[in-house]
Amino acid sequence: MSYEPPRPVRGLLLTPEDKEAPARVHRLRRLGLADRPDPVLDTFAGHLAQLTGALYAMVNFIGEDHQFFAGLSAPATAPVVRDDGSRAAIGRVLPRDHGFCPHVVVRRKALVLEDVRDYPRFAGNPVVDEYGIRSYLGAPLIDSSGMALGTVCAADTAPRAWGRPGLEAIKALAADLVVRLERSAEDGLPI
């Protein structure tokens, strides 16, 4: 008897309904975290990439129709070569139905995908084909009001055994970053 891993089922990915999106966008603006890159958050993402050894790391704020990487550590282009020989450029904005962070925000819990191909719901996500994402580790940024603002996440192009240490580390980093973001907004100082 042989085992074959499940095949991706195209079209199965359903981005969860996000009823908090309008309130989240308002809260992000009040905290001064609208759609703008932040060098401090880029440094944070770089530290996360180094800590996890992942190719990609982000501080991601989720809006109503898109997600914005205010902090980003990534190569300039995706490692995946398209049929025409080109590669996807890495930017700071993704549609809300791309990636796994919108799921983390709606469920308000960390998500560990050691190999996204093992999960039919996630294997068909556009980031799998476009950017070569094969593993994901993310935790929600839940502020003192109880609002899930976005995520802190790492992703890689190879399956990864993130394990309990990875899960605990990403959750601790997310909690620490939320405190820093709120303190910065209150004091009117940079993060």
Side-chain angles (χ1 to χ4, degrees), residues 91-160:
R92 290 193 180 259
V93 178
L94 275 182
R96 203 174 90 63
D97 64 348
H98 284 51
F100 314 110
C101 292
H103 296 268
V104 171
V105 166
V106 170
R107 59 186 245 146
R108 306 171 62 78
K109 291 182 182 177
L111 177 63
V112 178
L113 300 171
E114 293 184 346
D115 188 339
V116 297
R117 296 172 296 186
D118 290 343
Y119 303 89
R121 178 177 192 155
F122 297 117
N125 194 286
V127 299
V128 173
D129 293 333
E130 194 72 10
Y131 301 101
I133 301 301
R134 293 291 180 261
S135 57
Y136 172 88
L137 175 66
L141 293 166
I142 299 176
D143 72 3
S144 61
S145 76
M147 175 73 59
L149 302 173
T151 65
V152 171
C153 65
D156 210 340
T157 56
R160 299 284 302 268

Coordinates of all heavy atoms in Angstrom, one line a residue, residues 91-160:
G91 N 5.5 42.6 -3.5 CA 5.0 43.9 -3.1 C 4.5 43.9 -1.7 O 4.6 42.9 -1.0
R92 N 4.0 45.0 -1.3 CA 3.4 45.2 0.1 C 1.9 45.0 0.2 O 1.4 45.0 1.3 CB 3.8 46.5 0.6 CG 5.3 46.6 0.9 CD 5.6 47.9 1.7 NE 7.0 48.0 2.0 CZ 7.6 47.6 3.1 NH1 6.9 47.1 4.1 NH2 8.9 47.7 3.3
V93 N 1.3 44.8 -1.0 CA -0.2 44.7 -0.9 C -0.6 43.4 -1.6 O -0.1 43.0 -2.7 CB -0.9 45.9 -1.7 CG1 -2.4 45.7 -1.7 CG2 -0.5 47.2 -1.0
L94 N -1.5 42.7 -1.0 CA -2.1 41.5 -1.6 C -3.6 41.6 -1.4 O -4.1 42.1 -0.5 CB -1.7 40.2 -0.8 CG -0.4 39.5 -1.2 CD1 -0.2 38.3 -0.3 CD2 -0.3 39.2 -2.6
P95 N -4.4 41.0 -2.4 CA -5.8 40.9 -2.2 C -6.1 40.1 -0.9 O -5.3 39.3 -0.5 CB -6.3 40.1 -3.4 CG -5.2 40.3 -4.4 CD -3.9 40.4 -3.7
R96 N -7.2 40.4 -0.3 CA -7.6 39.7 0.9 C -7.8 38.2 0.8 O -7.6 37.4 1.7 CB -8.9 40.3 1.5 CG -9.0 40.1 3.0 CD -10.2 40.8 3.6 NE -11.5 40.0 3.6 CZ -11.6 38.9 4.2 NH1 -10.7 38.3 4.9 NH2 -12.8 38.3 4.2
D97 N -8.0 37.7 -0.5 CA -8.2 36.3 -0.6 C -6.9 35.5 -1.0 O -6.9 34.4 -1.3 CB -9.2 36.0 -1.7 CG -8.8 36.5 -3.1 OD1 -7.9 37.3 -3.2 OD2 -9.5 36.1 -4.1
H98 N -5.8 36.2 -0.9 CA -4.5 35.6 -1.1 C -3.8 35.4 0.3 O -3.9 36.2 1.2 CB -3.5 36.5 -1.9 CG -3.8 36.6 -3.4 ND1 -5.1 36.8 -3.8 CD2 -3.0 36.4 -4.4 CE1 -5.1 36.8 -5.2 NE2 -3.8 36.5 -5.5
G99 N -3.1 34.3 0.4 CA -2.4 34.0 1.7 C -3.3 33.5 2.8 O -4.5 33.2 2.6
F100 N -2.7 33.4 3.9 CA -3.3 32.7 5.0 C -3.6 33.6 6.2 O -4.3 33.3 7.1 CB -2.4 31.6 5.5 CG -1.8 30.8 4.3 CD1 -0.5 30.8 4.0 CD2 -2.7 30.0 3.6 CE1 0.0 30.1 2.9 CE2 -2.2 29.3 2.5 CZ -0.9 29.3 2.1
C101 N -3.0 34.8 6.2 CA -3.3 35.8 7.3 C -4.7 36.1 7.5 O -5.1 36.3 8.7 CB -2.4 37.1 7.1 SG -0.6 36.8 7.2
P102 N -5.6 36.3 6.5 CA -7.0 36.6 6.8 C -7.6 35.5 7.6 O -8.5 35.8 8.4 CB -7.6 36.7 5.4 CG -6.4 37.2 4.5 CD -5.2 36.5 5.0
H103 N -7.2 34.3 7.4 CA -7.8 33.2 8.2 C -7.4 33.3 9.7 O -8.2 33.1 10.6 CB -7.3 31.8 7.7 CG -7.8 31.5 6.3 ND1 -8.9 30.9 6.1 CD2 -7.3 31.9 5.1 CE1 -9.1 30.8 4.8 NE2 -8.1 31.4 4.2
V104 N -6.1 33.7 9.9 CA -5.6 33.9 11.3 C -6.4 35.0 12.0 O -6.8 34.9 13.1 CB -4.1 34.2 11.3 CG1 -3.6 34.6 12.7 CG2 -3.3 33.0 10.8
V105 N -6.6 36.1 11.3 CA -7.3 37.3 11.8 C -8.8 36.9 12.2 O -9.2 37.2 13.3 CB -7.3 38.5 10.9 CG1 -8.3 39.6 11.3 CG2 -5.9 39.1 10.8
V106 N -9.5 36.2 11.3 CA -10.9 35.9 11.6 C -11.0 34.9 12.7 O -11.8 35.0 13.6 CB -11.6 35.4 10.3 CG1 -12.9 34.8 10.6 CG2 -11.7 36.6 9.3
R107 N -10.1 33.9 12.7 CA -10.2 32.8 13.7 C -9.6 33.3 15.0 O -9.8 32.6 16.1 CB -9.7 31.5 13.2 CG -8.3 31.5 12.8 CD -7.8 30.2 12.2 NE -6.8 29.7 13.1 CZ -6.6 28.4 13.3 NH1 -7.3 27.5 12.7 NH2 -5.6 28.0 14.1
R108 N -8.7 34.3 15.0 CA -8.1 34.9 16.2 C -7.2 34.0 16.9 O -7.0 34.0 18.1 CB -9.2 35.5 17.1 CG -10.1 36.5 16.4 CD -11.3 36.8 17.2 NE -10.9 37.5 18.5 CZ -10.6 38.8 18.6 NH1 -10.6 39.5 17.5 NH2 -10.2 39.3 19.7
K109 N -6.6 33.1 16.1 CA -5.7 32.1 16.7 C -4.5 31.9 15.7 O -4.6 32.1 14.5 CB -6.4 30.7 16.8 CG -7.4 30.7 17.9 CD -8.0 29.3 18.0 CE -9.1 29.2 19.0 NZ -9.7 27.9 19.0
A110 N -3.4 31.5 16.3 CA -2.2 31.2 15.5 C -2.5 30.1 14.5 O -3.4 29.2 14.8 CB -1.0 30.9 16.4
L111 N -1.8 30.1 13.4 CA -2.0 29.0 12.4 C -0.6 28.5 12.0 O 0.3 29.3 11.7 CB -2.7 29.6 11.2 CG -2.9 28.6 10.0 CD1 -3.8 27.5 10.4 CD2 -3.5 29.4 8.8
V112 N -0.5 27.2 12.1 CA 0.8 26.5 11.7 C 0.5 25.6 10.5 O -0.3 24.7 10.7 CB 1.4 25.7 12.9 CG1 2.7 25.0 12.4 CG2 1.6 26.6 14.1
L113 N 1.1 25.8 9.4 CA 1.0 25.0 8.2 C 2.4 24.5 7.9 O 3.1 25.2 7.3 CB 0.3 25.7 7.1 CG -1.1 26.3 7.3 CD1 -1.5 27.2 6.1 CD2 -2.1 25.2 7.5
E114 N 2.7 23.3 8.3 CA 4.0 22.8 8.0 C 4.2 22.5 6.5 O 5.3 22.6 6.0 CB 4.3 21.6 8.9 CG 4.4 22.0 10.4 CD 4.8 20.9 11.3 OE1 4.8 19.7 10.9 OE2 5.1 21.3 12.5
D115 N 3.2 22.1 5.9 CA 3.2 21.9 4.4 C 1.8 22.2 3.9 O 0.9 21.4 4.1 CB 3.6 20.4 4.0 CG 3.8 20.3 2.5 OD1 3.2 21.1 1.7 OD2 4.5 19.3 2.1
V116 N 1.6 23.3 3.3 CA 0.3 23.8 2.9 C -0.4 22.8 1.9 O -1.6 22.7 1.9 CB 0.3 25.2 2.2 CG1 0.8 26.2 3.2 CG2 1.1 25.2 0.9
R117 N 0.4 22.0 1.2 CA -0.2 21.0 0.3 C -0.9 19.9 1.0 O -1.7 19.2 0.5 CB 0.9 20.4 -0.6 CG 1.6 21.4 -1.5 CD 2.7 20.9 -2.2 NE 3.8 20.6 -1.2 CZ 5.0 20.2 -1.5 NH1 5.3 20.1 -2.8 NH2 5.9 19.9 -0.6
D118 N -0.7 19.7 2.4 CA -1.4 18.8 3.2 C -2.8 19.2 3.5 O -3.6 18.4 4.1 CB -0.7 18.5 4.5 CG 0.6 17.7 4.2 OD1 0.8 17.1 3.1 OD2 1.5 17.7 5.1
Y119 N -3.2 20.4 3.2 CA -4.5 21.0 3.5 C -5.2 21.5 2.3 O -4.9 22.6 1.8 CB -4.3 22.2 4.5 CG -3.5 21.8 5.8 CD1 -2.1 21.9 5.8 CD2 -4.2 21.3 6.9 CE1 -1.5 21.5 7.0 CE2 -3.5 21.0 8.0 CZ -2.2 21.0 8.0 OH -1.5 20.7 9.2
P120 N -6.1 20.7 1.8 CA -6.8 21.1 0.5 C -7.3 22.6 0.5 O -7.3 23.3 -0.4 CB -7.9 20.1 0.4 CG -7.4 18.9 1.1 CD -6.6 19.4 2.3
R121 N -7.8 23.0 1.7 CA -8.4 24.4 1.8 C -7.3 25.4 1.5 O -7.6 26.5 1.0 CB -8.9 24.6 3.2 CG -9.4 26.0 3.4 CD -10.1 26.2 4.7 NE -10.8 27.5 4.7 CZ -11.8 27.8 5.4 NH1 -12.2 26.9 6.3 NH2 -12.4 28.9 5.3
F122 N -6.0 25.1 1.8 CA -5.0 26.1 1.7 C -4.1 25.8 0.5 O -3.4 26.7 0.0 CB -4.1 26.2 2.9 CG -4.9 26.6 4.1 CD1 -5.1 25.8 5.2 CD2 -5.4 27.9 4.2 CE1 -5.8 26.2 6.3 CE2 -6.2 28.3 5.3 CZ -6.3 27.5 6.4
A123 N -4.0 24.6 0.0 CA -3.1 24.2 -1.1 C -3.4 25.0 -2.4 O -2.5 25.2 -3.2 CB -3.2 22.7 -1.3
G124 N -4.7 25.4 -2.6 CA -5.1 26.1 -3.8 C -4.9 27.6 -3.7 O -5.3 28.3 -4.7
N125 N -4.4 28.1 -2.7 CA -4.2 29.5 -2.5 C -3.3 30.1 -3.6 O -2.2 29.5 -3.9 CB -3.7 29.8 -1.1 CG -3.8 31.3 -0.7 OD1 -3.1 32.1 -1.2 ND2 -4.8 31.6 0.1
P126 N -3.6 31.3 -4.1 CA -2.7 31.9 -5.1 C -1.2 32.0 -4.7 O -0.4 32.0 -5.6 CB -3.4 33.2 -5.4 CG -4.8 33.0 -5.0 CD -4.8 32.1 -3.9
V127 N -0.9 32.2 -3.5 CA 0.5 32.4 -3.1 C 1.3 31.2 -3.2 O 2.5 31.2 -3.3 CB 0.6 33.0 -1.6 CG1 -0.1 34.4 -1.5 CG2 0.1 32.0 -0.6
V128 N 0.6 30.0 -3.2 CA 1.3 28.7 -3.4 C 2.0 28.7 -4.8 O 3.1 28.4 -4.9 CB 0.4 27.5 -3.1 CG1 1.1 26.2 -3.5 CG2 -0.1 27.6 -1.7
D129 N 1.2 29.0 -5.8 CA 1.7 28.9 -7.2 C 2.5 30.2 -7.5 O 3.6 30.1 -8.1 CB 0.5 28.8 -8.1 CG -0.2 27.5 -8.0 OD1 0.5 26.5 -7.6 OD2 -1.4 27.4 -8.4
E130 N 2.1 31.3 -7.1 CA 2.7 32.6 -7.5 C 4.0 32.8 -6.8 O 5.0 33.3 -7.4 CB 1.7 33.7 -7.3 CG 2.1 35.0 -7.9 CD 1.9 35.0 -9.4 OE1 1.3 34.1 -10.0 OE2 2.4 36.0 -10.1
Y131 N 4.1 32.5 -5.5 CA 5.3 32.8 -4.7 C 6.0 31.6 -4.2 O 7.0 31.7 -3.6 CB 4.9 33.8 -3.6 CG 4.3 35.0 -4.0 CD1 2.9 35.2 -4.0 CD2 5.1 36.1 -4.6 CE1 2.4 36.4 -4.5 CE2 4.5 37.2 -5.0 CZ 3.2 37.4 -5.0 OH 2.6 38.5 -5.5
G132 N 5.5 30.4 -4.5 CA 6.1 29.2 -4.0 C 6.0 28.9 -2.6 O 6.7 28.1 -2.0
I133 N 5.0 29.5 -1.9 CA 4.8 29.3 -0.5 C 4.4 27.8 -0.2 O 3.5 27.3 -0.8 CB 3.8 30.2 0.1 CG1 4.2 31.7 -0.1 CG2 3.6 29.9 1.6 CD1 5.5 32.1 0.5
R134 N 5.2 27.1 0.7 CA 4.9 25.8 1.1 C 4.6 25.6 2.6 O 4.1 24.6 3.0 CB 6.0 24.8 0.7 CG 6.2 24.7 -0.8 CD 5.0 23.9 -1.4 NE 5.2 23.8 -2.9 CZ 4.6 24.5 -3.8 NH1 3.8 25.5 -3.4 NH2 4.8 24.3 -5.1
S135 N 5.1 26.6 3.4 CA 4.8 26.5 4.8 C 4.6 27.9 5.4 O 5.0 28.9 4.8 CB 6.0 25.9 5.5 OG 7.2 26.6 5.3
Y136 N 3.8 27.9 6.5 CA 3.3 29.2 7.0 C 3.2 29.1 8.5 O 2.8 28.0 9.1 CB 2.0 29.5 6.4 CG 1.3 30.7 7.1 CD1 1.6 32.0 6.6 CD2 0.5 30.6 8.1 CE1 1.0 33.1 7.2 CE2 -0.2 31.7 8.7 CZ 0.1 33.0 8.3 OH -0.5 34.0 8.8
L137 N 3.6 30.2 9.2 CA 3.5 30.3 10.6 C 3.0 31.7 11.0 O 3.7 32.6 10.6 CB 4.9 30.0 11.3 CG 5.0 30.1 12.8 CD1 4.1 29.1 13.5 CD2 6.5 30.0 13.2
G138 N 1.9 31.8 11.5 CA 1.4 33.2 11.8 C 0.6 33.3 13.1 O -0.1 32.3 13.5
A139 N 0.6 34.4 13.7 CA -0.2 34.7 14.9 C -0.9 36.0 14.8 O -0.3 37.0 14.2 CB 0.8 34.7 16.2
P140 N -2.1 36.2 15.4 CA -2.8 37.4 15.3 C -2.2 38.5 16.2 O -1.6 38.2 17.3 CB -4.2 37.1 15.7 CG -4.0 35.9 16.7 CD -2.8 35.2 16.1
L141 N -2.3 39.7 15.8 CA -2.0 40.9 16.6 C -3.3 41.4 17.2 O -4.0 42.1 16.6 CB -1.4 42.0 15.7 CG 0.0 41.7 15.1 CD1 0.3 42.7 13.9 CD2 1.1 41.7 16.1
I142 N -3.5 41.0 18.4 CA -4.8 41.3 19.1 C -4.5 42.4 20.1 O -3.7 42.2 21.1 CB -5.4 40.1 19.8 CG1 -5.8 39.1 18.7 CG2 -6.7 40.5 20.6 CD1 -6.3 37.8 19.3
D143 N -5.1 43.6 19.9 CA -4.8 44.7 20.8 C -5.6 44.7 22.1 O -6.4 43.8 22.3 CB -4.9 46.1 20.0 CG -6.4 46.4 19.8 OD1 -7.3 45.7 20.2 OD2 -6.6 47.5 19.1
S144 N -5.4 45.7 22.9 CA -6.0 45.7 24.2 C -7.5 45.9 24.2 O -8.2 45.6 25.1 CB -5.4 46.9 25.1 OG -5.6 48.1 24.5
S145 N -8.1 46.4 23.0 CA -9.5 46.5 22.8 C -10.1 45.1 22.4 O -11.3 45.0 22.3 CB -9.8 47.5 21.8 OG -9.6 47.1 20.5
G146 N -9.3 44.1 22.1 CA -9.7 42.8 21.7 C -9.8 42.7 20.2 O -10.2 41.7 19.6
M147 N -9.4 43.8 19.5 CA -9.4 43.8 18.0 C -8.2 43.0 17.4 O -7.1 43.3 17.9 CB -9.5 45.2 17.5 CG -9.4 45.4 16.0 SD -10.9 45.0 15.2 CE -12.1 46.1 15.9
A148 N -8.5 42.2 16.5 CA -7.4 41.5 15.7 C -7.0 42.5 14.6 O -7.7 42.6 13.6 CB -7.8 40.2 15.2
L149 N -5.8 43.1 14.7 CA -5.4 44.1 13.8 C -4.8 43.5 12.5 O -4.8 44.1 11.4 CB -4.4 45.1 14.4 CG -4.8 45.8 15.7 CD1 -3.6 46.5 16.3 CD2 -6.0 46.7 15.4
G150 N -4.1 42.4 12.7 CA -3.4 41.8 11.6 C -2.6 40.6 12.1 O -3.1 40.0 13.1
T151 N -1.5 40.4 11.5 CA -0.7 39.2 11.9 C 0.8 39.5 11.9 O 1.3 40.5 11.3 CB -0.9 38.0 10.9 OG1 -0.4 38.4 9.6 CG2 -2.3 37.6 10.8
V152 N 1.5 38.7 12.5 CA 3.0 38.5 12.4 C 3.1 37.1 11.8 O 2.5 36.2 12.4 CB 3.7 38.6 13.8 CG1 5.1 38.3 13.7 CG2 3.5 40.0 14.3
C153 N 3.9 37.0 10.7 CA 4.0 35.7 10.1 C 5.3 35.5 9.4 O 6.0 36.4 9.1 CB 2.8 35.5 9.1 SG 2.9 36.6 7.7
A154 N 5.6 34.2 9.2 CA 6.7 33.7 8.5 C 6.3 32.7 7.5 O 5.3 31.9 7.8 CB 7.8 33.2 9.4
A155 N 6.9 32.7 6.3 CA 6.5 31.7 5.3 C 7.7 31.3 4.6 O 8.7 32.0 4.5 CB 5.5 32.3 4.3
D156 N 7.7 30.1 4.1 CA 8.9 29.6 3.4 C 8.5 28.8 2.1 O 7.3 28.4 2.0 CB 9.7 28.7 4.3 CG 11.2 28.7 3.9 OD1 11.6 29.1 2.8 OD2 12.0 28.3 4.8
T157 N 9.5 28.5 1.3 CA 9.2 27.8 0.0 C 9.4 26.3 0.1 O 9.3 25.6 -0.9 CB 10.1 28.4 -1.1 OG1 11.5 28.3 -0.7 CG2 9.8 29.9 -1.4
A158 N 9.7 25.9 1.3 CA 9.9 24.5 1.6 C 9.0 24.1 2.8 O 8.8 24.9 3.7 CB 11.4 24.1 1.9
P159 N 8.6 22.9 2.9 CA 7.9 22.4 4.1 C 8.8 22.6 5.3 O 10.0 22.5 5.2 CB 7.6 21.0 3.8 CG 7.6 20.8 2.4 CD 8.6 21.8 1.9
R160 N 8.2 23.1 6.4 CA 9.0 23.3 7.6 C 8.3 22.7 8.8 O 7.1 22.8 9.0 CB 9.0 24.8 7.9 CG 9.7 25.7 6.8 CD 11.2 25.6 6.8 NE 11.8 26.0 8.1 CZ 12.2 27.2 8.4 NH1 12.1 28.1 7.5 NH2 12.7 27.4 9.6

